[in-house]
Structure formats: structure tokens, C-alpha cells
Amino acid sequence: MHKHFLNWDAAKTIEDTNITLSAVNHANAQVYPVIKEMVATKFFRTFKVDLESECPFWAMERLCGVEGGCSVCKCDEKEVPIPWKITTTHHINRQGLFGRAAGKRLKWNDKNANSWFPSPPESHMTYVNLLNNPEANTGYSSKEASRIWMAIYTENCFQGGDVNAMCFEERFFYRLLSGLHSTITTKIATYHFKKSEFTNPLDGSPPPQVFTYDMWDPNMNMFNFMISFPERLQNMYFLYSTTFRAIQKARDFLLDYDYSTGNATEDQATKHMLTNLLANDKFQLNVTVPHEDDSSCCYDESCLFASSCDADKVNFVAQMQEHFYNISRLMDCVGCEKCRMW
């Protein structure tokens, strides 16, 4: 294993936060078993995704280097929960979700002009079983893949991706993107080679059509290369911490959500697991960030847009919203179905 990883000080604070790496590791060890069990339930494993929208930026090639590795195994009609086939109007209390004063329940507005991400037409949407489509190596590593990451970093990051020139809000945005990139790379390195006993069964039977996570071996060279960049690991931890905080902020909304799939017994078990997860002390991860004056404030929306970037807050938020939206549209340029799904 790479020396940078072996010599990493777990007591070190994650950049732009006041939380240590060891605290995140400990919290993850506590909540991971619950999450692993929970994502196998029908509600969480059945996912609706857009695989049809065209790339708006350039002519896209659909490429894949591993036979069958890029295609998505879609759900049969009978796998889709019956309650989900019934059209409903969803409401969300946006003020309550973000910790502000309680307000009236508002109809969700998905108009692109006021969205942080696009809303594809229903005809483009399809249901997939995430367990039958593991996030693993698909062989998608062409110039097209590099082009997408280049567009994300050079055209949709502030200050051209120069962290040293960024204020906190800009760094926050950049670290999330870098952390996501590092997470994807780590997952691909972990599930990289299909095990030979499945690709070439000794009994002469055909290889399975669906490869689950236990049918892959890691690529240690790829993993060691990724962790040779400490800042990328830092950003992966930053992303994880931010996800923790987002779930904390949405706790009441998540507890009140309808998890019905038509199977009362499993639905009750799903709700029970989620309740236990959110009640876990380790999910109260106290993440704080240093303010401009080196004092600390809570890691929530009150910390964002409180630095030098706040001089023109309205325009800056609009610019960040535009970046989020553009990156979402860039995902439509991914030529690998499975990569696009994840």
C-alpha cells in the first residue's frame, strides 16, 4: 500500500473543517452496517434514472471497453413498486428542511429556470435495480470520459480550479467535485477485474448476466496511484462529511417520508432501519468549519455565503446554481450507460 496512506495522520483535521479523519472513520464504521442492509431493501435498490437525454454540448459517442460492462440491467415492470406507478403531487417544506422558520407547505418547483439540476421528461426515465448494476469498472476510459472531467474542472469550477485563489464557498464547491471524482475512482479500483471463476466457469456454464459486488477483484496499482494524492483523499472525506451534514439537516423530512413499495412488512423494516440510523449518535457528527476570522461556526447553510464571496451574494449564488446545472447536463454526455446511471 502506498506510503502516503500508511503515514496518514488520522488525527489530522479535514481541510476547511474542524473534524478529524479518525472521527469520520469511526462514525462510518458504526453506520455502514446499517446502510449496507438498508440499501438492499426494495425502496432503496429501485432507482429511477434518465438514460435517454442527449448531450447538449457536443456530439456524443456511446463507448465501452468491456463487453457488456456499460449496459444497464433495467427493471421488469413487475419489479417497479405498485404505489410508484400512481401519479401523485409531492410537497416539501423547504423552510423546515433547511432549518429556517416553519412555513406553509409549497409545491415543488421543477422548472429549469429555478432548478439546480434539469428535470427530464417522464418518457426518458426508467427504473433500475442498483444491486444488479454495481458501480464497478466498465472499461469506459476513453477521451470522451476525460473530456467530461476536463469540462467539469476547467469550465464549471471557480477560478479555473485554482484552490489557492478561491474563497471558502468556491473551495467548498471544488472539494465536493474532487471528492466525488476520488470516490468514483476508488470504487472502480476496488471492483475492477471480474473474477475468473465467473467469467470462465469450470463447469462450462455461461457467465452470469449480472455481476454483483462479490464477483470482482481490486486493482491495487490503480488504488495506490489514487491515494498517492493526499489532497484527493482529503476531498473524499470532505464529501463524506458534507453528506453526513446534509442527512442531518434533512432528518425530519426523511423520518416523515413515505417509504411504501406495496410490501407492508418490508416497508416497516425499511422505516425502522432508517429511524435507527438517524437516531445513531454517530450520525450526529459534529462538523464545523473555520470562518474568515478563524472562529468556528456550524457546518450548515449559515457558514456558506458568509465570506468575501458574499459581496455580491445574489450573483454568486446564481453562478453556483448555473455550475450545478451545467454539471448535471454534462452527465448526459457520458457514453457509458452504467457510468451515467451512477
Side-chain angles (χ1 to χ4, degrees):
M1 190 172 290
H2 201 280
K3 63 181 180 180
H4 285 299
F5 189 76
L6 293 174
N7 296 332
W8 216 19
D9 182 6
K12 186 177 180 180
T13 300
I14 300 171
E15 293 183 16
D16 280 324
T17 78
N18 284 337
I19 190 168
T20 63
L21 301 167
S22 60
V24 174
N25 287 337
H26 184 65
N28 180 64
Q30 301 298 314
V31 303
Y32 175 72
V34 181
I35 294 176
K36 184 178 181 181
E37 183 179 7
M38 192 168 65
V39 298
T41 63
K42 190 168 189 175
F43 179 88
F44 285 103
R45 72 172 181 259
T46 310
F47 186 71
K48 199 174 188 180
V49 63
D50 171 22
L51 299 175
E52 302 298 329
S53 291
E54 296 294 329
C55 175
F57 302 113
W58 59 74
M60 183 188 71
E61 293 183 67
R62 297 190 179 272
L63 306 170
C64 191
V66 178
E67 184 178 355
C70 281
S71 59
V72 167
C73 178
K74 302 176 182 178
C75 287
D76 292 330
E77 184 67 20
K78 63 182 180 181
E79 294 182 79
V80 180
I82 294 177
W84 297 10
K85 300 176 184 179
I86 302 173
T87 302
T88 59
T89 299
H90 296 283
H91 292 77
I92 181 172
N93 186 330
R94 284 187 266 185
Q95 285 89 347
L97 179 60
F98 293 105
R100 297 184 177 90
K104 64 180 181 179
R105 301 183 79 82
L106 302 173
K107 186 175 181 180
W108 184 259
N109 186 346
D110 275 330
K111 291 182 179 179
N112 288 346
N114 193 35
S115 292
W116 289 66
F117 52 87
S119 298
E122 187 64 26
S123 60
H124 288 188
M125 306 301 288
T126 186
Y127 283 102
V128 299
N129 183 330
L130 295 179
L131 296 184
N132 290 339
N133 296 278
E135 186 180 8
N137 177 36
T138 64
Y140 182 63
S141 58
S142 65
K143 292 181 180 179
E144 202 74 26
S146 299
R147 185 180 188 181
I148 290 170
W149 283 114
M150 183 66 68
I152 289 175
Y153 283 119
T154 61
E155 298 174 23
N156 290 286
C157 271
F158 298 94
Q159 309 298 338
D162 181 4
V163 177
N164 295 324
M166 297 178 187
C167 63
F168 172 67
E169 288 80 6
E170 293 170 339
R171 291 198 308 275
F172 186 97
F173 187 85
Y174 171 79
R175 292 196 196 286
L176 290 180
L177 292 178
S178 174
L180 175 64
H181 195 175
S182 299
T183 299
I184 293 171
T185 303
T186 302
K187 199 70 176 286
I188 292 173
T190 304
Y191 303 100
H192 195 87
F193 301 111
K194 291 180 179 178
K195 293 182 177 180
S196 59
E197 60 263 38
F198 298 108
T199 56
N200 297 293
L202 295 178
D203 60 3
S205 59
Q209 292 188 352
V210 175
F211 276 77
T212 53
Y213 282 116
D214 58 334
M215 299 179 180
W216 298 80
D217 281 326
N219 182 335
M220 291 307 300
N221 288 334
M222 183 179 182
F223 178 77
N224 285 332
F225 177 77
M226 200 286 292
I227 64 175
S228 67
F229 299 90
E231 71 280 2
R232 297 181 186 178
L233 282 175
Q234 281 270 347
N235 292 337
M236 186 164 62
Y237 273 76
F238 184 87
L239 173 67
Y240 189 93
S241 302
T242 302
T243 304
F244 251 75
R245 182 57 182 167
I247 295 175
Q248 288 175 1
K249 297 296 293 184
R251 180 181 183 276
D252 292 342
F253 172 72
L254 293 173
L255 289 175
D256 190 47
Y257 198 81
D258 182 5
Y259 295 92
S260 300
T261 64
N263 185 324
T265 301
E266 183 174 2
D267 294 343
Q268 185 177 8
T270 300
K271 184 64 175 288
H272 180 71
M273 281 187 281
L274 184 73
T275 302
N276 286 344
L277 176 68
L278 296 176
N280 192 316
D281 289 340
K282 299 307 174 186
F283 230 108
Q284 305 307 310
L285 192 63
N286 183 24
V287 186
T288 57
V289 296
H291 215 300
E292 269 196 315
D293 59 0
D294 292 328
S295 62
S296 295
C297 65
C298 295
Y299 188 18
D300 61 16
E301 68 279 1
S302 66
C303 285
L304 291 170
F305 313 114
S307 72
S308 57
C309 286
D310 196 37
D312 191 2
K313 182 175 180 178
V314 174
N315 288 337
F316 182 75
V317 172
Q319 188 179 6
M320 182 173 283
Q321 182 178 3
E322 181 182 4
H323 288 332
F324 262 101
Y325 192 91
N326 284 344
I327 290 171
S328 295
R329 289 310 315 269
L330 275 169
M331 295 304 100
D332 293 332
C333 301
V334 176
C336 163
E337 264 195 354
K338 192 172 290 184
C339 309
R340 179 173 175 170
M341 178 193 74
W342 283 104

